[in-house]
Amino acid sequence: MTEPNGFHRFKGTAGYIASGPLVDAVNCAVALQRPLLIKGEPGTGKTLLATHVAAGLEMPMLSWHIKSTSKAAEGLYVYDTVQRLNDSRFGTGNVADIGRYIKLGPLGRAFAAEERHVLLIDEIDKADLEFPNDLLRELDEMRFSIIETSEEVIARERPVVVITSNNEKELPDAFLRRCIFHYIEFPDATLMKQIVAVHHPNLDATLLDQVLIKFYWLREQSELRKKPSTSELIDWISALLRAGITPDQVEAHIPFLGALLKKEQDADALQRYNAKGGRYPARWSELGPRYNQ
Amino acid sequence: MFLDLFYGLRDEGVPVALQEWMTLLEALQRGLHGSNLLRFYHLARACLVKSETYFDAFDRVFARVFHGVEGALDITDEVLEWLRDPKNFRRLSPEELAALEHLSADELMQRFLETLAQQTERHDGGDRWIGTGGRSPYGHGGQHPTGIRVGGTGGGRSAMKVAGERRFRDYRTDVSLDVRQMRVALRRLRQLTRAGLATELDLDETIDETCRNAGEIELVFRPPRRNDVRLLLLMDVGGTMDPYYEPVSQLLTALHDERGLREFRPYYFHNCIYDHVYTQARLIRANALPTGDLLCHLDERWKVAIVGDAAMHPSELLEPHGGINPHNTSPTPGIAWLHRLAGHFERAVWINPDEHELWDRTHTTRLIRRLFPMFHLSVDGLGAAVQALVGARV
């Protein structure tokens, strides 16, 4: 789908409901060839977005999942010295060819590839504070050199870089300046219904209403330390469907609470609420003006 | 007008630099905004603002800079449609309707934009500001017959309405706090050092040594990197601190979760620190620990954070036997103990849950500020406090 102004346009896919601003942000990042930084509450589909951007743009995808021990250089390449040493001791390979021991990382592969890739750098905030700074030049110029072989890898097609962050650490300003930023807001009830429909297309409408009322009510409770998220809602509905729960059962109770609340204190808080004779709402009007449709 | 947006954002403290501005101009050149103010709003936000904590500031500046533009572009039709909306005509008596109905569409729009420009926060109820409920002509869920509905559901939303909604207020870091945000602020509370047992394989050094050894493998170990920060937390409990129970307990939760700290000791006091601090929030003798012991046992490298409102009767701070608890007074005035703490430890901060504006109004707060750098109990304040504890000296 090439548009007149010369770049592929992302429009969302059947399996991923993207809001208008999100689509705009993706297209802006694609057109300007800047990394797209996605933040949002856990479970709002940040990681999934990259998969669907790749599908929507019909590009192959590479992912780089960041851990607390990840180093920026690993994304470019790793020089497997231990393998080379091993080979030299036991004579199992051509040690003189250093290129054999250079293993490109996800970023390196995206640069070296023939066609344009979507590169996902997942949960960049998991790594050390300095990690994003170490990637600045590579992401800016889309090139790096392999010191050991004095080779230079220059991206023929600048990859579409999608970076997700869970906000566990602040990212350095210099890094942020280069990104296009989008914050995925928590979906409202209308959007949520569409999202649920993608995952559970044949869900009974009354059950869905009851489920969403309970879900948004739980999210409103300020005592909860961890609010349930979209992905937990989807899992919860799966559990309800498997167990054959009817809408009336959800009306008065919250079955399989463990699928929604993951902290002991939160489950306790709800139990206390129950013990005090608190009841769960069964109609949207009980949730306050924000939810009246 | 565009430059007003840029400088407006900078005035509001949003870190926008020329680089972001050029990005936006490039995007505009490519026509990514599709000549639609709402898409321009989202595009400008994606290019200029890099954290949801500044979205609210962006909304305010955007509404200020672009008011009036939209009336010319695409809002008029929508406004007229809302004005015809029969749903809003219910629940009011005919006299009231007559009194309110004379506003024309133009007048209303003008006043809406003026109100938006003046409005500084969300309003629910009331009859003037834009918000939900109430009798104001602006907002949604209200009873004004010719009102402008702002936000709510329905297609074709306009940028001004989105900006006016200010849904991102909760993400501001200078006012709100939750445990997760606090954890982020506290994450910087670290000083990494290598000390202790050498248990980690140093691969680079191993390769180097092995090469020197002509290929005979020589393993080199080093001690792992570890956070060396030890934190002493002293918390004011009871009395004037009761309204702040929620943020203070969140802070405590966040600190307990922060496993990276080498050592963490929380103690409690009431109003001011005297001879004893307490290991539990119930300040009884069984829990007491002499403050002098803290000074003996903890060396000057411990970081000290005191959480309290610092507002008390001057005698509680300055006079001997000033303690508010008659069974437990001490001849040493509180200020002397605070002096000792400030003198003993290299880095100490005071975290105050009271609003910044209140600090200068109480005598004791002013005195304590001379001893300890004081920070507000908010995400921004915590970040600055952490910086003062472990950052470079300024």
Side-chain angles (χ1 to χ4, degrees), chain B residues 193-371:
Chain B
T193 47
R194 291 190 188 279
L197 272 183
T199 52
E200 193 182 84
L201 179 66
D202 184 344
L203 201 57
D204 290 341
E205 225 17 62
T206 299
I207 293 164
D208 243 31
E209 281 304 306
T210 305
C211 293
R212 265 179 236 281
N213 231 354
E216 243 357 273
I217 289 180
E218 178 77 39
L219 297 173
V220 181
F221 290 89
R222 64 182 169 190
R225 252 155 55 111
R226 215 167 39 156
N227 192 354
D228 205 29
V229 170
R230 303 157 195 253
L231 181 71
L232 171 65
L233 182 73
L234 298 165
M235 275 177 296
D236 187 356
V237 284
T240 48
M241 287 296 285
D242 279 345
Y244 301 116
Y245 171 76
E246 186 85 345
V248 172
S249 81
Q250 282 175 337
L251 176 68
L252 199 58
T253 313
L255 275 168
H256 273 297
D257 288 354
E258 184 58 48
R259 287 186 201 85
L261 291 177
R262 181 142 173 209
E263 271 185 83
F264 169 56
R265 292 204 199 168
Y267 295 108
Y268 301 85
F269 63 91
H270 184 49
N271 279 2
C272 188
I273 299 168
Y274 305 104
D275 291 14
H276 293 87
V277 290
Y278 300 83
T279 53
Q280 307 277 323
R282 277 191 67 204
L283 309 183
I284 51 172
R285 199 161 296 161
N287 297 331
L289 184 86
T291 312
D293 280 11
L294 287 183
L295 295 175
C296 289
H297 294 156
L298 311 182
D299 69 22
E300 70 284 355
R301 284 172 301 174
W302 276 71
K303 315 291 179 195
V304 182
I306 305 174
V307 181
D309 57 2
M312 58 195 101
H313 191 274
S315 71
E316 288 177 61
L317 182 65
L318 300 172
E319 282 172 25
H321 302 284
I324 194 166
N325 181 350
H327 302 296
N328 194 3
T329 62
S330 82
T332 320
I335 189 86
W337 280 111
L338 294 181
H339 261 295
R340 284 176 200 168
L341 285 169
H344 178 76
F345 295 101
E346 278 179 355
R347 304 279 186 109
V349 293
W350 192 288
I351 297 170
N352 195 333
D354 275 340
E355 290 300 324
H356 202 283
E357 294 80 55
L358 301 174
W359 295 358
D360 277 338
R361 292 196 199 151
T362 38
H363 182 52
T364 53
T365 313
R366 282 201 301 271
L367 287 175
I368 288 172
R369 269 182 90 181
R370 287 192 206 147
L371 284 177

Side-chain angles (χ1 to χ4, degrees), chain A residues 89 166-167 176 179 181 185, chain B residues 46 50 52 167 180 184 215:
Chain A
R89 279 166 66 89
N166 265 327
N167 241 352
L176 290 176
C179 299
F181 174 69
E185 278 175 75
Chain B
K50 300 302 162 67
E52 69 279 12
R167 279 167 305 163
R180 195 182 155 77
V184 176

Side-chain angles (χ1 to χ4, degrees), chain B residues 12 14 42 104 113 183 206 216 257 261 311 383:
Chain B
E12 287 280 343
V14 182
H42 284 298
S104 77
L113 291 171
R183 248 181 252 153
T206 299
E216 243 357 273
D257 288 354
L261 291 177

Side-chain angles (χ1 to χ4, degrees), chain A residues 2-284:
Chain A
T2 309
E3 301 271 317
N5 51 2
F7 67 93
H8 292 283
R9 223 167 243 272
F10 171 69
K11 287 177 175 152
T13 60
Y16 189 89
I17 307 288
S19 64
L22 175 58
V23 172
D24 278 350
V26 171
N27 284 324
C28 181
V30 173
L32 301 182
Q33 309 192 329
R34 306 249 172 176
L36 174 67
L37 175 65
I38 299 285
K39 282 210 246 173
E41 260 186 60
T44 39
K46 297 187 290 292
T47 306
L48 215 54
L49 173 73
T51 327
H52 288 276
V53 167
L57 298 174
E58 294 165 16
M59 288 182 202
M61 187 177 110
L62 284 165
S63 354
W64 183 13
H65 299 280
I66 307 297
K67 302 190 188 98
S68 62
T69 52
S70 294
K71 300 227 162 49
E74 287 166 16
L76 301 171
Y77 71 95
V78 182
Y79 174 29
D80 194 350
T81 45
V82 177
Q83 180 66 46
R84 184 161 178 250
L85 183 64
N86 195 51
D87 283 358
S88 93
R89 279 166 66 89
F90 301 106
T92 44
N94 179 11
V95 189
D97 180 9
I98 294 179
R100 288 184 57 216
Y101 302 101
I102 302 285
K103 303 213 162 88
L104 289 182
L107 198 55
R109 267 179 286 154
F111 288 180
E114 295 284 325
E115 53 182 331
R116 202 170 181 197
H117 275 66
V118 172
L119 173 67
L120 166 70
I121 304 181
D122 201 16
E123 309 197 10
I124 196 164
D125 53 328
K126 289 262 187 303
D128 193 76
L129 290 172
E130 292 304 319
F131 178 90
N133 277 338
D134 296 347
L135 285 176
L136 283 185
R137 183 176 162 260
E138 283 74 15
L139 287 177
D140 249 9
E141 299 178 13
M142 299 274 177
R143 63 159 75 187
F144 65 96
S145 28
I146 301 174
I147 303 161
E148 284 79 1
T149 58
S150 41
E151 237 181 280
E152 184 154 56
V153 178
I154 304 170
R156 221 160 311 180
E157 295 280 350
R158 292 172 73 100
V160 177
V161 183
V162 179
I163 300 169
T164 71
S165 164
N166 265 327
N167 241 352
E168 282 187 17
K169 290 190 191 102
E170 276 175 51
L171 299 171
D173 286 348
F175 177 78
L176 290 176
R177 224 163 264 151
R178 287 164 171 83
C179 299
I180 301 292
F181 174 69
H182 184 78
Y183 182 85
I184 300 189
E185 278 175 75
F186 198 82
D188 59 8
T190 329
L191 188 61
M192 188 60 92
K193 278 185 187 168
Q194 292 175 25
I195 294 170
V196 172
V198 168
H199 296 270
H200 300 287
N202 301 319
L203 194 63
D204 175 59
T206 34
L207 179 63
L208 176 62
D209 257 339
Q210 284 307 323
V211 161
L212 288 183
I213 289 167
K214 298 294 182 302
F215 176 72
Y216 280 103
W217 177 80
L218 273 179
R219 284 183 54 86
E220 298 261 303
Q221 302 312 302
S222 57
E223 297 97 79
L224 294 194
R225 309 223 160 177
K226 190 197 153 300
K227 292 176 179 179
S229 69
T230 313
S231 54
E232 283 159 331
L233 172 71
I234 306 286
D235 289 348
W236 184 45
I237 297 175
S238 306
L240 294 178
L241 289 178
R242 291 261 174 88
I245 302 276
T246 60
D248 336 334
Q249 279 171 296
V250 187
E251 200 173 312
H253 305 282
I254 303 186
F256 303 118
L257 196 60
L260 291 172
L261 300 183
K262 307 291 170 69
K263 290 213 171 210
E264 212 178 309
Q265 298 105 307
D266 291 352
D268 288 349
L270 208 64
Q271 224 156 40
R272 276 200 305 277
Y273 176 80
N274 260 334
K276 273 190 287 181
R279 50 177 292 278
Y280 305 126
R283 267 177 294 281
W284 285 109

